[in-house]
Amino acid sequence: MAIPVGAGYFRVVPIIKPGSPACQCPGEKWCANPPGNTDVTDTAGNFRYDGGLVFKNLEVARSMLNQDSLSQLKGLKSQMEAEKERAEALIKGTQNRYGFAVLDDGREIFIPPDEMLKVFPDDRVLVCIRPTKDNKTIAEVEKLVASPLGDFTGRCVRKGKAIFVEPDLQQLRRWLFIPPHARNGVKEGDYVRCAILRHPIRDGKPQAKVQAVIGNDDTPGIENLYSMAKYRLATEWSNSSKREVERLVAERRPLETGTRRDLTDLEFISIDTVKTQDIDDALYAEISSDGWTLFVAIADPTAYIDADSELHKDIASRGASVYFHGDVLPMLPEQLSQDTCALSEGADRPALVCKVAISDSGEVGEFEFIEATVRSRGKLSYYGVDRYLSGQGEELMSHATPLEALYQVFRALRANREAHGLVMEDRKEYRWILNDKKQIETIEPYEKLLSHKLVEECMIAANRCAASYLREQGANGPFVIHPGIRADRIEEARKFLAMHAPAVAEADPTTVSGYREIMLCLSQQEHKLPLRGMINRLLTRAELSCTPGAHMGMALDAYTNCTSPLRKYVDFLVHLQIKALIHQQTADKVNPQVLATLAERLQNTRAATQQAERWLAGKYLAKLASSGENVTFKGRISHVNSSGFTARLEDSGLEGFVDLRKDPEKFSYDKWTASLTSTTRKFQLEQTVELSFQAVDEASSYRAMFALTPGCGLKPPKNDVEKPPQEGS
């Protein structure tokens, strides 16, 4: 480094890093004048001064920056670079502007906001890890390795004349600029599907392009359309699948095969909603010497769809028919599900029939599965059958023989399940009435009809037979298992029972009999706390399995689903397995990966329908709240956690969350009583509350947010502690 020292002289000094052996200047960041050198005049009239050469002019000084000096500088630079670490990492975003670089060895290194502008969450990048002046470690992004962010959904917003898209991604909340040539006619407020046009790695300025406009808030059914797009649900069939359907319908003749048994003489009837066209089951029963013989005919789409076909792959990718309010995405092409395979009235159809003996006491006895041809004698509605069974109508007298026998079968099966199994308690159901814009006009409560329960019991019987058959034949599923209490919560469950239900504290919750004993006790025991609802937080969901296992929720040793192959892929798989066994072939269409993939798709489907329902419900609640002043809703607490509670409105069944973290009072959560308590108020599971609607939390999949009305939840005076809580308290 050349430094002027006066009188036309310049000094060349080395730049020495703090802490290096040559540096003896404590407290200084850089040393350009190391002590301990003697001043010496050289032969050119220059002289050394404090370790630096002083020259007569600048040019001479520059010329003296010889190779030795440059080597020293390069060495210092190399030393500085050596202290930095470089590694590949995965970008982890946050709700704030900063993020983290997740290294392959598990370390998470902080990424400052300015550096986060250059990347997207889940990008794989090369980072430089270095210390800061305050001895913290940060990661700087140097190179993009891979970016998995493809297309995504969002909403268009405007700032001045510029159009941006606000991505609907959990960890990416920054607006992305849409240049004029990539807007595709989009307007402010439109919901869109976009793709990345320009990655921000170079300058932190990303760009997006519009691939499709989904609609806006005035588009009928926008809630469904947007949710379908966001969760990538298939709305169209591939051209290869369309061609295959046309070929199959034209060429396949499953009724002409010699292996099918002709059961068209049996008076099968279907019971479903009036509008249902994809009818996948029909029933018939007749009296036997010791009870009844029940026939459950199930539509047989596998008679048309080969296991290794492209159409089968399309069906597997859907996983199930998806039912939105006002829209349906069928699992099968409608030509098959609503026509060729549907058990329509008066039409001969291929079917897989479960023939099962039902004893007078409702025991499920011997059974067989039959590839058959059936003919439905009538398409009956739930409402019509319920009127007939309750003696309020004679319109269905022509079907009296099968209906009377089916009713007796239902009574026996139901009584047996109540005596030996677990029957889910009836819960009030609600019907959404939509207007022509597919918005909620009103919500009507209704009770499950007797005809619903009749069909349900017959389906459960057939499903039990299917599970038993797969298990007996050693097939690898699919089975539907329900472990009951989560394995990591068993000890907590035992403590819960010891506190609140000592009579069953010694029962083993990992066995079917023990679990049933516990649940019956919690449901029937008179207690000031809602014990049956409280234990729900310890339970796990039902799951798919290649190996048979207990279904604790029904108190059964084995269970599966087989009665809806037109609507559910797991039922379709069960049919493939059963038919392979009937023909003495290997039942190898199921493996753990197939079931894991199916479970992921079903979870994705649930997320899509839940978001659409919440979005619609939020709009409906907002409309009701704006219909007058101080509009309130009566609800019941359905779930409690440390942040607040979820309440279910009594007149509509809609749910929303009350966030008590924002309340001026501090609440303490007690998991053993499922309650939240402050100095003056208390909220408990099943408690009735009065609420007002606040808003919809779009970031939480359009969850409705409620607020408490004044005085709600106040504790009673100590001298009134034994009095029952008042309405709305």
Side-chain angles (χ1 to χ4, degrees):
M1 178 177 179
I3 301 177
V5 294
Y9 286 90
F10 293 85
R11 178 160 58 96
V12 176
V13 298
I15 304 299
I16 301 173
K17 188 176 180 182
S20 64
C23 178
Q24 303 177 27
C25 306
E28 295 187 16
K29 292 184 177 179
W30 296 94
C31 180
N33 194 18
N37 293 299
T38 305
D39 296 341
V40 178
T41 302
D42 64 13
T43 57
N46 303 309
F47 63 90
R48 296 182 179 277
Y49 176 77
D50 268 352
L53 286 174
V54 179
F55 303 93
K56 292 180 178 180
N57 58 63
L58 181 59
E59 292 303 321
V60 175
R62 285 176 175 168
S63 68
M64 289 301 295
L65 288 174
N66 52 28
Q67 292 300 317
D68 291 338
S69 300
L70 292 175
S71 297
Q72 185 180 16
L73 293 175
K74 289 180 180 178
L76 291 171
K77 182 178 180 181
S78 298
Q79 182 181 350
M80 293 169 62
E81 288 296 317
E83 293 180 1
K84 297 178 180 178
E85 178 186 358
R86 285 178 172 80
E88 285 195 8
L90 195 68
I91 298 298
K92 178 181 177 181
T94 67
Q95 295 293 340
N96 300 304
R97 293 180 57 210
Y98 60 83
F100 295 91
V102 182
L103 276 59
D104 293 340
D105 61 10
R107 286 180 294 162
E108 294 190 6
I109 311 299
F110 178 78
I111 302 178
D114 289 346
E115 288 295 304
M116 278 297 292
L117 291 176
K118 296 158 61 176
V119 292
F120 294 133
D122 297 326
D123 278 356
R124 189 161 186 84
V125 297
L126 180 67
V127 295
C128 175
I129 304 168
R130 67 170 182 83
T132 62
K133 294 179 181 179
D134 52 0
N135 292 323
K136 295 181 180 179
T137 303
I138 65 169
E140 294 177 338
V141 179
E142 291 192 339
K143 181 182 177 181
L144 178 67
V145 177
S147 182
L149 180 59
D151 57 353
F152 57 91
T153 57
R155 192 176 190 185
C156 283
V157 293
R158 177 185 292 275
K159 185 177 181 181
K161 295 183 178 180
I163 294 290
F164 298 81
V165 59
E166 184 177 12
D168 190 1
L169 298 170
Q170 187 174 7
Q171 301 297 341
L172 181 61
R173 294 299 180 185
R174 62 194 288 194
W175 292 4
L176 306 181
F177 176 66
I178 307 176
H181 71 274
R183 292 177 184 172
N184 200 15
V186 75
K187 300 183 294 295
E188 181 182 5
D190 282 348
Y191 296 95
V192 294
R193 175 170 291 286
C194 288
I196 296 300
L197 183 64
R198 183 174 184 270
H199 196 279
I201 187 66
R202 287 186 298 173
D203 57 8
K205 297 179 180 179
Q207 293 182 3
K209 61 180 178 182
V210 175
Q211 292 182 320
V213 178
I214 302 169
N216 55 43
D217 284 328
D218 294 326
T219 302
I222 185 60
E223 302 81 9
N224 298 344
L225 296 173
Y226 182 78
S227 297
M228 293 174 194
K230 176 181 176 180
Y231 290 95
R232 304 176 186 277
L233 303 186
T235 58
E236 301 290 340
W237 293 95
S238 66
N239 291 329
S240 61
S241 290
K242 291 178 181 178
R243 290 191 296 268
E244 190 172 353
V245 170
E246 293 175 359
R247 179 183 63 81
L248 292 172
V249 172
E251 298 178 1
R252 288 288 171 93
R253 298 288 186 270
L255 300 184
E256 297 176 6
T257 61
T259 59
R260 289 193 177 270
R261 192 183 305 179
D262 187 354
L263 297 180
T264 55
D265 60 322
L266 301 182
E267 297 181 31
F268 283 101
I269 56 172
S270 65
I271 306 174
D272 220 312
T273 62
V274 174
K275 295 181 179 180
T276 298
Q277 293 180 286
D278 53 342
I279 304 170
D280 48 17
D281 58 72
L283 303 172
Y284 174 73
E286 58 189 18
I287 298 174
S288 65
S289 58
D290 59 349
W292 303 267
T293 301
L294 171 66
F295 295 82
V296 179
I298 310 164
D300 187 9
T302 61
Y304 291 90
I305 303 168
D306 295 328
D308 57 351
S309 65
E310 288 299 315
L311 179 57
H312 183 199
K313 293 178 183 178
D314 259 6
I315 293 169
S317 69
R318 294 178 179 236
S321 294
V322 188
Y323 294 91
F324 293 89
H325 290 281
D327 291 294
V328 178
L329 297 178
M331 184 184 77
L332 294 180
E334 293 182 350
Q335 188 173 358
L336 292 177
S337 63
Q338 297 185 9
D339 184 8
T340 306
C341 297
L343 303 186
S344 304
E345 180 178 350
D348 289 0
R349 291 287 190 258
L352 183 65
V353 176
C354 178
K355 178 184 177 182
V356 54
I358 307 296
S359 70
D360 288 329
S361 61
E363 290 287 343
V364 174
E366 294 184 357
F367 63 86
E368 66 173 319
F369 283 94
I370 309 165
E371 278 190 293
T373 300
V374 301
R375 182 187 305 147
S376 172
R377 295 296 200 277
K379 179 180 182 293
L380 312 184
S381 70
Y382 284 118
Y383 178 72
V385 172
D386 191 77
R387 278 177 52 83
Y388 174 83
L389 295 179
S390 59
Q392 298 179 9
E394 299 181 355
E395 299 88 350
L396 302 181
M397 286 300 296
S398 59
H399 302 291
T401 300
L403 281 175
E404 291 295 339
L406 286 169
Y407 180 57
Q408 295 303 320
V409 168
F410 153 70
R411 293 181 61 185
L413 287 172
R414 186 74 167 200
N416 186 276
R417 280 215 306 136
E418 289 175 345
H420 304 288
L422 284 174
V423 178
M424 185 179 296
E425 295 180 6
D426 288 342
R427 179 180 176 181
K428 184 184 290 186
E429 303 289 342
Y430 297 87
R431 184 182 295 109
W432 292 14
I433 310 301
L434 306 184
N435 58 26
D436 56 359
K437 293 185 177 180
K438 295 187 178 181
Q439 298 297 305
I440 302 174
E441 189 69 29
T442 186
I443 296 179
E444 300 175 348
Y446 72 94
E447 301 291 339
K448 182 182 287 187
L449 301 176
L450 190 61
S451 52
H452 285 116
K453 298 176 182 178
L454 183 154
V455 173
E456 179 182 60
E457 289 300 330
C458 294
M459 297 302 109
I460 290 174
N463 289 336
R464 291 174 62 184
C465 293
S468 296
Y469 186 60
L470 293 176
R471 181 175 60 177
E472 291 168 3
Q473 298 296 319
N476 54 344
F479 298 96
V480 180
I481 65 173
H482 179 235
I485 296 173
R486 288 164 45 184
D488 61 340
R489 297 292 185 92
I490 293 294
E491 292 307 315
E492 185 176 341
R494 289 194 170 103
K495 184 176 179 180
F496 173 85
L497 295 173
M499 291 174 62
H500 299 300
V504 291
E506 298 301 319
D508 186 355
T510 64
T511 65
V512 171
S513 58
Y515 183 88
R516 179 177 182 272
E517 182 183 0
I518 290 169
M519 290 300 157
L520 288 176
C521 175
L522 298 184
S523 299
Q524 299 172 359
Q525 184 184 31
E526 292 295 331
H527 198 282
K528 65 179 181 180
L529 295 176
L531 299 183
R532 179 61 186 84
M534 289 168 62
I535 204 171
N536 282 343
R537 68 181 183 86
L538 305 180
L539 304 184
T540 185
R541 288 179 175 272
E543 56 193 61
L544 301 174
S545 173
C546 288
T547 56
H551 193 297
M552 295 293 194
M554 301 178 73
L556 296 173
D557 291 328
Y559 195 69
T560 191
N561 291 322
C562 71
T563 58
S564 296
L566 302 182
R567 310 175 191 181
K568 299 177 181 179
Y569 184 58
V570 66
D571 301 51
F572 187 93
L573 287 174
V574 171
H575 277 231
L576 289 177
Q577 298 284 78
I578 289 177
K579 291 178 67 175
L581 294 170
I582 290 175
H583 293 284
Q584 298 183 339
Q585 299 171 353
T586 303
D588 59 357
K589 302 299 186 291
V590 178
N591 57 58
Q593 184 56 52
V594 168
L595 297 186
T597 302
L598 175 57
E600 289 178 6
R601 288 170 179 157
L602 295 178
Q603 183 178 13
N604 185 65
T605 294
R606 285 193 295 269
T609 54
Q610 181 189 62
Q611 172 167 306
E613 288 178 357
R614 284 179 169 183
W615 193 349
L616 273 172
K619 288 185 174 181
Y620 178 66
L621 289 170
K623 181 179 73 172
L624 294 180
S626 63
S627 63
E629 294 185 7
N630 301 320
V631 176
T632 60
F633 304 91
K634 186 178 294 185
R636 189 173 296 274
I637 297 177
S638 57
H639 179 73
V640 182
N641 60 34
S642 59
S643 300
F645 60 81
T646 299
R648 192 170 194 245
L649 302 187
E650 293 185 348
D651 60 349
S652 65
L654 302 181
E655 290 189 333
F657 188 69
V658 177
D659 190 349
L660 293 178
R661 292 172 299 181
K662 302 177 181 179
D663 195 275
E665 285 191 296
K666 183 178 180 180
F667 284 82
S668 60
Y669 171 62
D670 184 355
K671 66 180 181 180
W672 301 112
T673 59
S675 63
L676 287 158
T677 307
S678 71
T679 305
T680 62
R681 290 175 291 170
K682 182 175 183 177
F683 298 100
Q684 189 150 18
L685 190 68
E686 300 288 337
Q687 180 178 331
T688 301
V689 288
E690 190 172 358
L691 309 164
S692 62
F693 174 72
Q694 293 295 293
V696 168
D697 184 3
E698 294 186 16
S700 297
S701 297
Y702 292 86
R703 180 173 61 174
M705 302 300 294
F706 292 134
L708 300 167
T709 57
C712 182
L714 288 177
K715 295 178 182 178
K718 290 185 178 181
N719 56 350
D720 294 336
V721 70
E722 299 299 328
K723 294 181 180 180
Q726 297 298 311
E727 193 79 9
S729 62

